[in-house]
């Protein structure tokens, strides 16, 4: 199963601070009717760090229920310790995940050397029943897997790729140039999506693709067809939306955008709060600019 | 019970990647024979982020066993979600912790506004059966409680103080100047320990105090007696040690230093690894400079 | 005269800490035999900040001598004060510069607001006899013109473009999308050269183009022909060289590479020193990887 | 002549963008009637980077006129190149400066290694007719002399001290501990003034001392008398003022404060502009809190 293509990290909806399992199920079902290659459960945008272990397992189980076996289901299983990461990885695999996306450990920042990362990911990949994707999300972790470490890890038979959430496309290009053949490089920045594809990325995992799904699918098709100017123009229409649900408002922004599009978004888990009302207007405008038709839900008025 | 004074965050020793309960118990018992005011269990240096919930509870229970009821036992209970933080806080209180030290949530960095922190800590303090200490550890979290938020939170009847792990003593001075009367400000940087006390801090929670315990006790006494030059000179002798077990080698450095002094240090939990052999020599030299008598354990040779 | 195209910031050679006017002249003459659109005199790589006003004027005069009137000569004239910037701009124009490249003032970093930049550049452009290019070189200045300020300044009839030296192609894309029609956006990062062109940049000012001139010309032609994979592959061969003479060794690295290619490089002005001998070997290897034929000058052995 | 003590970097007033020589003279004359040890001409707050060489020389000459020979006059002479720094240093010495304060070169940030700094300062000190003070002002330069380099340079017979403008008092303590005997360490941060003295600094060069002169003199006396709590309390009253004229509004803030106190402040040189009107009110309030009696000048109403 190839992991090239376009994925979205599904949000985890809550009702009264409990996982809204029906809402999660409904959202995934809708995604399965789009051109998305597959989904990521328990990504950063899925508020994975806010879920306990039982909740995390339920999310994977529900996702597997809704994602047909022909389409890839990736589960986020990164934890601080190697031992907890392996445990989460094994549980996710047992629940049907096709691959795991393993965020770097990050708490003891100054200790997170290439050697530590290599030891960690090698142990996880050795123990994992399913293929492992490395995961750099420096904006949240404050640490980064560098090119040399990724190049070395790419030689491990069970480490099949990396998602890099940054907008530095020279890093994406380096990962592509330095890694083992067949190693999949996925972008994670909506703002830099076109540029990452132009640099040769094999696909992306984008919160943006959870709202502007068709446009994200089309940008990839345009780049593959060499229609760069059209791809750039379409990307540019998505930039304001990418900014709002990316760096600026993140999960609360994504959830508000989902609400505007008929998905189950709702409130993030505290201490995260909802976006301010004015941002909902900005989101509606940005969604329209991206060619979508946002509708204020009745419940939100 | 006052929380002014000198505390150390006890390391969590492991044997074969399992919590070494006997070792933990032995270490705390030794600390109870020193001039330390009390201890912090499950601090950053206790590798709290690497423990699962059951292990964390065991550490608190053991610590309560060993810390006499007259001396303060503080337990670290910060989690990313408010809900998990409250749950951990209640469990720690039930296990006998006198107060909880609650690290800021931090994953979604750009969303960690003063409002989010105030909402989080207010909910935690409302729910906590024991007094709450705020906890800024920016070197690890990448976020910081600012003065205004701390000032507002200091008015909450169940929020009794803050530990700030940075070396910015102007921030310590601001916390002292802007917070409610009776609010306790504890320093967390071994390198800046003297300067924080000179700025008026009420005490400290220091990994350094877990190895150079007597010297740390003495610095505080000297400052209180207005013998600044002597305090400065003693501090200066501790600086190399403070650097090695603080920013540079952190938990692995602390554990190696503990081994050299007859405490149970051992290996940190992976992916953290031991310090390189050369660092053990540096630690031994720094311990001697601090007036201690390190002994290479036979097992380490 | 269009400023789209490929430029190099010519190095300023020295002999015994004095400007080597003959060497400068020889270098420019060689560049005029290449596919470069034109040159920049007194850029960052020309050590402009290390020259006094008289030396700077001589460099412009010599460059005008050697650059035929049909080809653009751009002169760097940024200073900290508006008044000194205007004076330098007028002198450069009087000496024949076709346009000026005006680095942001930067010393008082926290005061460098959009308003300050807009006031500064408007005054300079009002007073300049020749068109003005804005110049962001954040790696050296620590400040940055943001998109909104550039968009506003792009409406000034005498502000014709911007050079941005960073590798953030999403910023390049924003400048393109938000600026007035006809505003020229030039990239300045050798490592991100292909990606900037793929994002739509109109050209570049590259130290890399002063050594790997033909390859840089070719990358631009390939991108314009839609042959992206070939352009990417050629870019990738230049990356090690771009790193060595860009961020890592900067002016000393550029000068050593020039020496290896038969240009007059020599020593930078102190306090800058030469690259270590081992770096000369790295440069030679990187030049070969880029398809060039470096020759160790006899004087260097 | 000792350089221990309290200095202020005098502002350079302008009228219609020309140096207001009479205003400068008047300001210095007033300072000579205070408890200041001496002054710094051409410091960062003197807008040195905005002056041309002739203007700079005039400022030194005027300062020497007004500062009696018994009191130290320090002149800022840092430039990017070693050659220009030496030239400025010699001119300042010839004009009567007792010592020079030499800001680190900084433009090529990644090249500013310890070796480069040591080579630069050694050459400058070798050539200087007067004693040299090192000068770290990282908030403006983005680079820093580290402890090891300062320790080595402190052994040079013509390098007599350092001014460090940061608020990191552990760095101040390190400079004190690692440098040669007799090496003078001066603080430069108004916010951290008390803490730097408590850490053992020999004095300070403070913009704050140009407005709250008496209070700054008193803090030093209190610390020397071991009356730490009183010193801390007085410092705390100065903090809001120190913030306004330090990091936040810098030169424009300092000049507005000078205007409020009857000194000649006026406008900074463009592109710097005046502080917003609301800030003048904040400054007046902060000056009152510091025990001063600000008066709105008629011209400003």
């Amino acid at each position: 199963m190839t992991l090239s293509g376009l994925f979205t990290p599904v949000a985890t909806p809550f009702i009264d601070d409990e996982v809204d399992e029906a809402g999660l199920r409904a959202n995934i079902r809708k995604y399965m009717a789009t051109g998305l290659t597959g989904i990521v459960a328990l990504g950063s945008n899925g508020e994975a760090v806010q879920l306990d272990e039982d909740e995390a397992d339920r999310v994977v189980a529900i996702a597997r229920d809704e994602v047909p076996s022909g389409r890839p289901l990736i589960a986020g299983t990164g934890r601080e310790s190697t031992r907890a990461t392996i445990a989460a990885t094994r549980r996710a695999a047992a629940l049907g995940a096709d691959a795991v996306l393993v965020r770097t450990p990050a708490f003891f920042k100054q200790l997170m050397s290439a050697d530590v990362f290599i030891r960690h990911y090698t142990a996880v990949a050795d123990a994992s029943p399913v293929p492992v994707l490395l995961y750099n999300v420096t904006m949240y972790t404050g640490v980064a897997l560098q090119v040399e470490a990724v190049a070395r890890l790419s030689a491990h038979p069970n480490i099949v790729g990396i998602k890099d959430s940054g907008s530095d496309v020279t890093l994406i290009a380096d990962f592509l140039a330095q890694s083992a053949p067949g190693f999949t490089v996925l972008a994670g920045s909506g703002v830099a999506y076109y540029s990452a594809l132009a640099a040769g990325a094999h696909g992306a995992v984008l919160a943006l693709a959870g709202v502007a799904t068709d446009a994200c699918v089309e940008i990839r098709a345009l780049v593959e067809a060499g229609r760069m100017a059209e791809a750039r123009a379409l990307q540019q229409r998505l930039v304001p939306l990418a900014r709002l649900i990316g760096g600026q408002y993140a999960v609360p922004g994504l959830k508000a955008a989902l609400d505007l599009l008929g998905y189950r978004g709702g409130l993030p888990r505290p201490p995260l709060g909802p976006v301010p009302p004015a941002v909902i207007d900005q989101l509606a405008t940005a969604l329209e600019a991206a060619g979508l038709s946002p509708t204020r839900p009745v419940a939100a008025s």
Side-chain angles (χ1 to χ4, degrees), chain A:
Chain A
M1 173 178 286
T2 178
L3 296 176
S4 296
L6 182 64
F7 296 80
T8 199
V10 292
T12 304
F14 297 97
I15 294 177
D16 293 338
D17 211 7
E18 300 288 343
V19 175
D20 170 11
E21 299 193 355
L24 174 65
R25 204 176 278 279
N27 286 349
I28 298 174
R29 203 170 298 168
K30 288 181 77 169
Y31 286 137
M32 288 304 102
T34 69
L36 286 173
T37 306
I39 63 163
V40 172
L42 302 175
S44 299
N45 281 288
E47 291 173 71
V49 295
Q50 308 229 57
L51 302 182
D52 66 30
E53 301 292 5
D54 291 339
E55 291 172 326
D57 290 350
R58 279 296 296 157
V59 167
V60 177
I62 288 166
R64 185 70 280 174
D65 259 12
E66 298 298 335
V67 177
S69 60
R71 280 169 97 169
L73 166 64
I74 302 170
T77 60
R79 299 291 188 278
E80 280 300 319
S81 75
T82 303
R83 154 192 175 112
T85 304
I86 290 172
T89 295
R90 287 180 169 150
R91 293 201 315 273
L95 291 165
D98 296 306
V100 289
L101 178 64
V102 180
R103 190 179 65 236
T104 52
F107 187 76
F108 298 103
K109 300 198 173 356
Q110 83 276 34
L111 301 177
M112 294 296 113
S113 62
D115 282 353
V116 164
F117 285 140
I118 288 170
R119 191 188 316 142
H120 179 69
Y121 280 109
T122 301
V124 173
D126 285 349
S128 174
V130 294
V132 169
L133 285 162
L134 311 174
Y135 181 18
N136 250 352
V137 56
T138 305
M139 68 183 285
Y140 290 144
T141 62
V143 302
L145 277 162
Q146 304 293 339
V147 175
E148 293 71 19
V150 171
R152 280 191 49 193
L153 289 168
S154 72
H156 191 291
N158 206 28
I159 298 180
V160 297
I162 187 169
K163 175 191 173 188
D164 186 283
S165 289
S167 60
D168 180 354
V169 296
T170 67
L171 187 61
I172 300 272
D174 280 342
F175 289 145
L176 289 162
Q178 308 291 329
S179 299
F183 189 74
T184 300
V185 178
L186 301 175
S189 161
V191 174
Y193 175 45
Y194 159 77
S195 287
L197 295 177
H202 302 103
V205 180
L206 299 180
L208 181 68
V211 288
T213 313
D214 295 346
C216 288
V217 169
E218 189 178 349
I219 286 173
R220 191 155 175 261
L222 288 168
V223 169
E224 290 189 345
R227 294 159 64 183
M228 309 307 275
E230 289 163 85
R232 274 203 306 259
L234 184 50
Q235 168 75 46
Q236 206 56 45
R237 286 170 47 202
L238 300 185
V239 163
L241 179 61
R243 289 236 158 80
L244 288 168
I245 67 173
Q248 200 169 0
Y249 295 105
V251 172
L254 172 62
K255 288 192 156 177
L258 291 172
D259 281 335
L260 288 167
L261 295 173
Y263 287 89
R264 309 271 186 94
L267 296 179
R269 180 165 266 183
L272 299 187
V275 295
V279 175
I280 296 177
D281 294 331
Q282 290 177 262
L283 282 165
T285 303
L287 288 165
E288 281 163 11
L292 295 157
S293 303
T295 310
R296 290 289 191 106
V298 177
S301 65

